Amino acid sequence: MIEINLGEDSILTDFSGFRQLLKFYETCRKYEGTTVDIKLDDIRWIDGNLCAFLGALLYRLNKENQLLFSIDAKQVAEKCGILFHNNFIQVEQNLDQYHKKSCIPYQGFFPQQKDEFIDYLENELLIHSAMPKFSEETKEKLIDDLTEVYANIDKHAETGNPFFVCGQHYPQQQKIHFTICDLGVGFYKKIKERQPDKIKSDGDSILWAIEGNSTKPDAPGGSGLKNLHSYLDENNGGLQIYTGEAGWCSKTMKSGSIYPNGITSLRNTYIGSVISLEFNKKSLLSGKF
């Protein structure tokens, strides 16, 4: 058995948080055919919605490196109870005691499970108690755009592996984060094939996709990401995308920070893609699109 620390301090939904989880993944990748005991000694907090990303990483490590994972339940309860609350770590007894209303449950879907994914959006995400009462028009549009994100996984990710979702309401910040993570080929490969002169990096492929570009049926992109970006931006929310060696944050881009176009390096490579939505409960306009 190998002991590996998950990270240190707080693992948040930002560049630093994704870098920490990728560092954990790269450390685990050095081993094969053993059990990794995940240690939380240096952790104070992990954002619940990041279980989608963590779950994808553990799935790949199990499949490609034949790794198994263990974690101390007492340490989880003391430091990261959210891993119980959102069903990332399943418990067989006293379910009501563990599950919390602030969580949008962790779940995996295979690419063929379109109906199940839409059912999850309708019955777990969009009617969550933290969400405002969306107009039917807005609800349908959000489902359409999130379903297009699913369609990109189904058609372009070149994988039969599941994708993972999880969400979390943060009452003090009045925000809801929802994260989708797949184990496909990422943005760059398909977009580079269709736009060889324009696309030179993972960051280029992200920027190309969020502009609403599409060369369907041969590359990810289209109106789904563009519409989600516009809607969240108009309602003081945010959108983040991570693929390959690059991460992009709409808020970072908007702030005109030191990161050009909101792009930064992940310092390691993630083969796949992560899309994370931030809904601002305080200023969400349910009828606006």
Side-chain angles (χ1 to χ4, degrees), residues 126-181:
L126 297 180
I127 65 168
H128 189 270
S129 59
M131 289 289 196
K133 184 173 177 58
F134 290 110
S135 69
E136 286 302 314
E137 179 184 1
T138 297
K139 185 186 294 185
E140 289 179 10
K141 192 70 176 83
L142 284 168
I143 289 173
D144 285 347
D145 291 328
L146 286 165
T147 302
E148 183 169 332
V149 172
Y150 152 82
N152 280 331
I153 298 171
D154 185 29
K155 294 178 182 178
H156 307 307
E158 298 184 1
T159 181
N161 289 328
F163 63 97
F164 299 87
V165 298
C166 194
Q168 184 67 36
H169 173 217
Y170 302 94
Q172 292 185 348
Q173 302 172 24
Q174 297 194 46
K175 294 176 181 178
I176 303 101
H177 284 273
F178 180 67
T179 301
I180 306 173
C181 182

Side-chain angles (χ1 to χ4, degrees), residues 53-281:
F53 187 45
L54 179 57
L57 296 176
L58 298 184
Y59 183 93
R60 175 170 277 159
L61 288 165
N62 172 257
K63 186 171 183 179
E64 295 184 356
N65 291 54
Q66 294 76 53
L67 292 178
L68 300 176
F69 298 90
S70 65
I71 194 167
D72 183 79
K74 183 178 179 181
Q75 195 174 49
V76 173
E78 292 174 350
K79 292 198 159 197
C80 297
I82 193 70
L83 302 180
F84 287 139
H85 303 324
N86 63 15
N87 210 35
F88 181 75
I89 299 175
Q90 296 185 4
V91 293
E92 297 180 357
Q93 297 177 338
N94 301 323
L95 292 179
D96 292 338
Q97 174 184 344
Y98 285 103
H99 293 175
K100 287 194 173 181
K101 292 182 179 179
S102 62
C103 299
I104 301 168
Y106 167 80
Q107 195 164 334
F109 299 92
F110 284 95
Q112 305 85 358
Q113 293 182 294
K114 178 179 178 180
D115 291 343
E116 289 86 347
F117 178 57
I118 292 175
D119 183 70
Y120 175 94
L121 295 177
E122 291 179 336
N123 296 302
E124 297 288 357
L125 175 63
L126 297 180
I127 65 168
H128 189 270
S129 59
M131 289 289 196
K133 184 173 177 58
F134 290 110
S135 69
E136 286 302 314
E137 179 184 1
T138 297
K139 185 186 294 185
E140 289 179 10
K141 192 70 176 83
L142 284 168
I143 289 173
D144 285 347
D145 291 328
L146 286 165
T147 302
E148 183 169 332
V149 172
Y150 152 82
N152 280 331
I153 298 171
D154 185 29
K155 294 178 182 178
H156 307 307
E158 298 184 1
T159 181
N161 289 328
F163 63 97
F164 299 87
V165 298
C166 194
Q168 184 67 36
H169 173 217
Y170 302 94
Q172 292 185 348
Q173 302 172 24
Q174 297 194 46
K175 294 176 181 178
I176 303 101
H177 284 273
F178 180 67
T179 301
I180 306 173
C181 182
D182 73 64
L183 290 161
V185 296
F187 281 29
Y188 179 78
K189 180 178 182 289
K190 285 287 190 178
I191 296 175
K192 175 67 173 178
E193 288 173 358
R194 304 300 296 179
Q195 300 288 326
D197 296 329
K198 294 182 179 179
I199 306 303
K200 306 297 184 183
S201 66
D202 293 303
D204 288 345
S205 68
I206 295 174
L207 296 174
W208 186 90
I210 61 171
E211 288 173 357
N213 293 310
S214 177
T215 55
K216 286 184 177 181
D218 299 305
S223 61
L225 285 177
K226 182 180 180 180
N227 288 343
L228 288 170
H229 178 206
S230 297
Y231 179 71
L232 293 167
D233 185 59
E234 289 170 5
N235 292 286
N236 296 312
L239 181 67
Q240 297 180 53
I241 299 173
Y242 298 87
T243 184
E245 298 179 348
W248 172 84
C249 175
S250 63
K251 287 185 170 182
T252 301
M253 182 178 71
K254 193 174 182 180
S255 69
S257 72
I258 60 173
Y259 298 112
N261 299 316
I263 297 286
T264 191
S265 170
L266 289 175
R267 301 176 185 166
N268 284 297
T269 300
Y270 177 65
I271 306 302
S273 58
V274 184
I275 297 170
S276 196
L277 288 65
E278 178 189 312
F279 296 91
N280 187 318
K281 182 180 178 182

